[in-house]
Amino acid sequence: MTFLNIAFPAASALPVSQIAISAFAVAARPLLGLGILATMLIVFKPMLLGMLRAALLVINPKKSREEKTATRNLRNMLTIRRIANDLDGTSPNMAAELRALASRG
């Protein structure tokens, strides 16, 4: 300590305050960045959701009504055929009728 510290106490306290301010700035910078990011996400949420839905439609387009009906009919036909195969040993007549029903589509 020099005699100038007694004469000018603010000058000796300046480095301590600079360290405190820089530590606060280091801690506040990520919080400020996260705040800006959250604000941008809130402001542009409808646009971002629209872009996400458009990208999902490009990757996995929705099926038309005819495609859904054809898929459902195929699934039903395969289910009836599976049931007919299960009944083949116990009730051959019922299995034959189910196969005929499944073949009609």
Side-chain angles (χ1 to χ4, degrees), residues 9-23:
S12 63
L14 191 61
V16 175
S17 64
Q18 285 179 346
I19 292 171
I21 291 172
S22 67

Side-chain angles (χ1 to χ4, degrees), residues 89-101:
T90 58
S91 179
N93 289 335
M94 179 65 84
E97 287 182 26
L98 287 174
R99 282 193 187 94
L101 183 66

Side-chain angles (χ1 to χ4, degrees), residues 21-70:
I21 291 172
S22 67
F24 176 75
V26 166
R29 182 173 285 160
L31 294 176
L32 183 65
L34 286 175
I36 291 171
L37 178 67
T39 303
M40 296 301 274
L41 287 176
I42 289 170
V43 168
F44 292 111
K45 182 180 177 182
M47 183 183 71
L48 293 173
L49 287 177
M51 290 171 53
L52 178 66
R53 287 182 182 157
L56 288 176
L57 282 175
V58 167
I59 294 170
N60 190 10
K62 291 188 176 184
K63 292 182 180 179
S64 66
R65 184 175 294 171
E66 293 81 17
E67 289 174 330
K68 289 178 184 178
T69 304

